[in-house]
Amino acid sequence: MDIRHTATTCPYCGCGCGLTLETSQGRILRTSPTPHSPVNEGRLCIKGWNVHDFVQHADRLRKPLLRTGSQWQNLDWDNALDIAAARLAHIRDTYGPDSIGVLTSARCTNEENYLLQKFTRCALRTNNIDHCARL
Amino acid sequence: MAGLATSFGSGAMTNSFAELAHSKCLFVIGSNTTVAHPMVGMRLIEGRRNGGRLIVADPRRTALAKLADIHLRLRPGTDVPLINGLMHIICEHGWQNSNFISTRTENFEELHDSLRQWTPKYVADVTGVPQDMLLRAAELYARSEASAIVYCLGITQHRCGVNNVRSLANLAMLCGQVGRAYTGVNPLRGQNNVQGACDMGGLPNYYPGYQKVEDCAARAKFEAAWGCTLPARNGLTTIEMMHALHDGHIKAMIIMGENPVVSDPDAGHAAEALSRAEFLLCLDIFPTPTTELAHMVLPGASFAESEGTFTNSERRVQRVRQAIPPLAGRTNSQIIAALSRRLGHVMPNDEPCDIFDEMCALTPIMAGMSHARLDTQSLCWPCPHQEHPGTPILHQTGFTRGRGLFAAIPHVPPAELPDEEYPFLLSTGMRHAHYLTGTMTRRCGILERELPELTADIAPADARRLNIREGARMRLTSRRGSIVSRMHITDSVPEGVIFAPLHFAEAMVNLLTCPALDPVSKTPEYKISAIRLEKV
Ligand code: SF4
C-alpha cells in the first residue's frame, strides 16, 4: 500500500498545532502530531487526534446545489458558477455594489481570505466584507 | 482587536505561547484555557510547575482556576471594576513602573485621575472579590519580574469588550509588563485563522496588513496592484450586514465557511435576515442551518484538501498542505477566481503559493515570507524582509503606534441582568470535545460519544432550591427564545449563573443570547443574558 504523510496545521483552535495526516489512495487513515512543531511539541488535544473523521464524513457536500422551489438540484461546476455570477452581477448592477455583503472565514486559509477580500473589493466593488471573529 | 489596537497600535498577541512557561506571574482572565486552547493551557500549567504564580479571574471554577494561587471569582461583567481596582492598589503602594510610564506611554494622568474612585472597598462590593485577595493579586502582578496577561472571549464577548481589553492594556503599561520576554497582553483567538482573516483584510475597514481603506495612499497602492478602482468608503460589519439585510439595503450575501444562523448572538434574527436575501450563496463543506437558507450552495474544500497557510494566535504563519484532492473537485481559491472572472475581474493568480507572494508584496508586515521559507520554518509577523527571523515579541523598543496610550475606562454594566422574571444569568462557552457550532466536531464519532447533547451547568444550591436532579431536562427561556437542555449540577458555576456550550444546532444557545453590541468593536454580548428555568 502506498502510504503518504502530509504535515499540515490543525483547523480548529487558535493554537495551530502541527499535525500529520497519513493517507493512502486519497483517504486519510490517521492523524498524529507533527513531532517538531514548535506549538505542540508532539502533543494534540482530543479534537486534533480525531480531525480526519469530519473531513471524510458522508455528509460532505460534493456537488453544487441550486434551490428550485422546495427542492435542491445538482449542477455541474461551470453551470453553477455561471448562474451565481449572473445573479450577483444583476444585483450589483441593479441596486449598486453596496447591496452585496460577504462573510469570509476564520477557518479558511490566508490565501483564500486574501482572494475573497480582493474579489469583494475588485469584482463586487464593495468593502462589505467581514468575518465572524467578532463573534 | 479594536481595544488593543487603540492602546498599542496592534491588536495581536504581544508575546509567544512558549514564553508563558517562563513567566513569573500569569494573569489569566476570561479564558477557560485548558478547554478552549489546550496547548496554551499546557504552557500555563508548565509555567505553574516552573514556579510561576498563577492568578485566574473567572466567575467559574474552571480546571485552571483550581490550580491557581489566587482565584478571583468576580461577578460576571465586572472585569473593568476589578482591573481598575487592582490599578488603584498598585498606585497607592507605588508599585507602578514610573520609568516605563514616562518613556513609553502617554495620557497617564487621565487614567490616574479615574482610578481614585476605585477603592478596594468599593471594588470588593462591585466584584464580590475580597479585599485581601485584590491586594495579593495586585502585588503579585505588579512586582513580579515578568508578568503575562492571557485573555480570551470571556473578556471580548461583552458589550464592554473593548473597555475590558483597554483596561488590561492599562494594567500592563502601568507596571511595564509588556515589550519584554515572558510578559505582554495576550488575546487567544477563538478560531484557527481569526488572526489570518484579519491580517488578510477580511475586514470592512482594512486592506491586507492593516492598511486603511480610508487612507488614500493605501487605496492608490492597491488600485495600482489590482488594476481597478476601489470603493473609498468603509464597508459594513457582520452584524451591520445582518441589519441591512433585514432592512432590505443588502440584497445578496456570499458566506464562505461560516454559520451565522447558529453563531450569531441573536440567532433568530440572523436566520430571518438571511431568509430575506434575494440571493444567498454559501460555500461550505457541510450542510448547516445557514446553507439551508441558501439559494445556491457550492461544495468547499476542507483544510486537508487545500494548500496555503494559517496564522495562529501568536502571529505564527504555518503551512497548510494538501493531503487529498478536493472531494468536490475544486479548491476554494479556484472557485473564487472563477467567480471573479465571470464578474469581470480576472485574477492573475489562483495557485496558493503565487497568491501568497502577491499578498506579501503588498503587505509590509509579511514582506519577508514565502511558502518556500515557511516550508522550513514557521514565522511570526512582522517579518519585513527575507533575512528577517520574525518577531515573537512585539513593542520591544516602541509601541506600534509610538507611545502606548492610557485611557480612563468607565464601568458599563451588562445590558441585561437577571430580574424577577428572568432570575438566572446565562453564560456561554465551549466544552473540551467540541468546537464552536459543532459543524465539524459533531461529525467525529469519538467526540460525539464524549458529549452527545446540550448540557448546562447549575450550582448545587440553585438545583436544590428548584428541585432539579442531575441530568434532568429543563426549559431555558430568555426574552428572545427558548431551548431545552439537560442540567449538570456542579460548583464550577456560582449561584445564580447557568453555563451552556454553543455547539448544538438542535438546541441553539444563541437563540437566547443578548444582541447588545460593543459600540466600537461591534462584538456582541454572548457572555451575559438573563434567563429563567422551567420544568418540561
Ligand atoms: S489539536 Fe487541539 S489544541 Fe491543537 S490546534 Fe487543534 S484543537 Fe487546538
Side-chain angles (χ1 to χ4, degrees):
Chain A
M1 224 171 33
D2 165 35
I3 302 239
R4 288 198 321 149
H5 291 91
T6 308
T8 185
T9 304
C10 179
Y12 287 124
C13 84
C15 295
C17 292
L19 48 81
T20 295
L21 301 174
E22 188 179 310
T23 51
S24 174
Q25 287 151 356
R27 275 197 74 77
I28 308 173
L29 307 174
R30 218 194 310 272
T31 309
S32 57
T34 306
H36 302 294
S37 158
V39 172
N40 46 316
E41 297 176 334
R43 294 174 290 216
L44 288 178
C45 81
I46 184 172
K47 296 186 286 271
W49 282 108
N50 290 286
V51 84
H52 52 281
D53 258 20
F54 88 76
V55 172
Q56 310 179 121
H57 195 279
D59 290 354
R60 279 287 303 270
L61 296 166
R62 286 166 189 267
K63 285 247 179 323
L65 296 170
L66 178 71
R67 181 188 298 285
T68 48
S70 58
Q71 303 271 306
W72 289 103
Q73 182 193 339
N74 282 336
L75 295 178
D76 65 50
W77 273 108
D78 278 329
N79 204 354
L81 291 166
D82 286 342
I83 295 172
R87 299 286 302 265
L88 291 168
H90 172 77
I91 289 170
R92 178 192 64 189
D93 299 339
T94 312
Y95 306 104
D98 288 336
S99 66
I100 306 180
V102 178
L103 296 185
T104 185
S105 177
R107 313 259 168 81
C108 290
T109 62
N110 287 328
E111 291 74 2
E112 290 156 0
N113 273 288
Y114 173 82
L115 221 55
L116 191 65
Q117 63 86 33
K118 184 180 171 188
F119 162 78
T120 305
R121 296 184 156 118
C122 299
L124 300 177
R125 302 197 292 270
T126 175
N127 286 309
N128 288 343
I129 179 156
D130 200 359
H131 58 95
C132 295
R134 296 185 157 90
L135 306 181
Chain B
M1 221 194 54
L4 263 199
T6 313
S7 299
F8 295 165
S10 162
M13 191 165 162
T14 60
N15 290 61
S16 62
F17 295 156
E19 288 170 62
L20 297 172
H22 307 286
S23 299
K24 297 289 179 227
C25 169
L26 296 158
F27 180 25
V28 180
I29 179 163
S31 161
N32 189 2
T33 327
T34 56
V35 168
H37 296 89
M39 291 305 137
V40 178
M42 296 265 210
R43 299 286 182 191
L44 295 173
I45 292 168
E46 207 178 316
R48 179 77 183 71
R49 244 189 251 128
N50 290 339
R53 309 295 290 277
L54 179 61
I55 306 170
V56 174
D58 200 311
R60 295 165 64 208
R61 188 173 290 125
T62 58
L64 203 61
K66 287 182 191 149
L67 290 177
D69 293 282
I70 305 175
H71 179 196
L72 305 170
R73 212 171 185 193
L74 74 171
R75 286 197 187 98
T78 61
D79 304 86
V80 164
L82 176 77
I83 301 158
N84 279 342
L86 296 178
M87 290 192 288
H88 177 103
I89 295 171
I90 289 165
C91 292
E92 285 284 286
H93 289 80
W95 293 331
Q96 74 271 34
N97 186 332
S98 304
N99 185 37
F100 189 92
I101 295 168
S102 62
T103 58
R104 297 283 311 269
T105 68
E106 60 191 355
N107 208 28
F108 177 63
E109 285 314 308
E110 181 185 305
L111 171 75
H112 194 249
D113 291 344
S114 75
L115 295 178
R116 203 164 303 138
Q117 59 163 310
W118 295 102
T119 62
K121 183 174 174 322
Y122 179 44
V123 171
D125 282 349
V126 176
T127 62
V129 178
Q131 291 188 41
D132 62 313
M133 273 205 185
L134 294 169
L135 181 70
R136 277 171 58 212
E139 177 164 19
L140 206 53
Y141 177 81
R143 301 186 74 192
S144 291
E145 205 179 298
S147 300
I149 297 171
V150 173
Y151 70 90
C152 188
L153 302 177
I155 277 292
T156 51
Q157 284 186 342
H158 285 285
R159 174 162 80 122
C160 55
V162 166
N163 282 352
N164 288 347
V165 173
R166 292 207 67 191
S167 257
L168 293 173
N170 281 340
L171 176 63
M173 290 191 289
L174 179 71
C175 303
Q177 300 285 19
V178 56
R180 287 182 288 126
Y182 320 130
T183 67
V185 183
N186 298 296
L188 303 177
R189 304 296 186 191
Q191 298 179 52
N192 62 321
N193 204 31
V194 174
Q195 188 61 54
C198 295
D199 298 347
M200 292 303 105
L203 293 166
N205 51 344
Y206 287 110
Y207 298 122
Y210 305 98
Q211 303 173 75
K212 289 197 172 95
V213 163
E214 290 188 332
D215 171 358
C216 300
R219 195 178 334 119
K221 169 176 139 178
F222 282 96
E223 286 181 337
W226 292 341
C228 59
T229 329
L230 294 172
R233 259 191 319 141
N234 286 340
L236 303 178
T237 64
T238 303
I239 307 261
E240 287 167 342
M241 285 188 236
M242 291 300 155
H243 285 296
L245 263 172
H246 203 264
D247 300 344
H249 297 303
I250 284 194
K251 305 285 186 192
M253 284 294 291
I254 301 175
I255 302 179
M256 172 167 85
E258 294 280 1
N259 188 7
V261 168
V262 180
S263 68
D264 195 273
D266 187 358
H269 181 267
E272 203 201 311
L274 288 170
S275 59
R276 292 189 183 195
E278 263 178 46
F279 186 57
L280 173 59
L281 175 64
C282 290
L283 173 71
D284 213 316
I285 60 174
F286 287 117
T288 68
T290 303
T291 65
E292 285 302 306
L293 302 175
H295 299 90
M296 186 185 284
V297 184
L298 300 175
S302 79
F303 83 106
E305 296 138 56
S306 307
E307 282 289 325
T309 51
F310 286 149
T311 306
N312 77 355
S313 283
E314 52 175 358
R315 295 171 277 105
R316 183 183 297 280
V317 185
Q318 308 192 96
R319 285 284 276 115
V320 174
R321 295 188 184 85
Q322 192 181 57
I324 53 173
L327 296 193
R330 302 238 179 164
T331 66
N332 300 332
S333 299
Q334 289 168 340
I335 298 168
I336 299 165
L339 259 186
S340 188
R341 192 177 333 115
R342 284 169 169 78
L343 278 154
H345 182 83
V346 178
M347 293 184 169
N349 298 314
D350 68 358
E351 280 301 319
C353 71
D354 302 328
I355 299 168
F356 193 79
D357 287 345
E358 176 188 322
M359 179 278 296
C360 290
L362 290 164
T363 306
I365 55 172
M366 292 170 75
M369 297 187 188
S370 63
H371 279 193
R373 240 194 123 185
L374 295 170
D375 276 334
T376 54
Q377 180 198 9
S378 58
L379 291 163
C380 296
W381 64 254
C383 176
H385 58 79
Q386 271 154 28
E387 278 75 49
H388 196 283
T391 312
I393 306 171
L394 291 182
H395 318 303
Q396 293 191 65
T397 50
F399 284 99
T400 308
R401 73 179 290 279
R403 278 174 176 262
L405 182 64
F406 279 111
I409 303 298
H411 176 38
V412 182
E416 188 178 84
L417 282 171
D419 53 24
E420 260 174 36
E421 210 182 334
Y422 299 93
F424 284 95
L425 192 153
L426 173 74
S427 175
T428 66
M430 302 228 269
R431 299 258 199 230
H432 74 292
H434 285 305
Y435 176 76
L436 297 178
T437 60
T439 309
M440 296 184 286
T441 50
R442 295 205 61 212
R443 290 189 168 91
C444 297
I446 292 178
L447 302 183
E448 188 60 4
R449 279 200 293 283
E450 279 285 308
L451 187 64
E453 63 177 338
L454 178 66
T455 312
D457 294 346
I458 184 168
D462 290 330
R464 248 188 327 271
R465 196 163 43 77
L466 296 178
N467 199 12
I468 295 172
R469 278 197 312 232
E470 176 68 23
R473 288 156 63 81
M474 298 290 288
R475 178 167 293 285
L476 281 48
T477 304
S478 79
R479 289 187 174 80
R480 290 155 295 277
S482 179
I483 58 173
V484 171
S485 174
R486 281 201 191 283
M487 304 305 290
H488 171 53
I489 303 170
T490 164
D491 67 357
S492 81
V493 286
E495 248 175 86
V497 173
I498 303 289
F499 170 81
L502 45 74
H503 314 300
F504 301 89
E506 69 278 14
M508 284 191 320
V509 168
N510 286 350
L511 285 172
L512 309 181
T513 48
C514 175
L517 296 185
D518 183 289
V520 179
S521 74
K522 318 281 186 188
T523 302
E525 180 141 80
Y526 278 105
K527 283 296 164 187
I528 299 180
S529 41
I531 59 167
R532 67 167 179 256
L533 299 183
E534 290 146 339
K535 293 247 147 83
V536 280

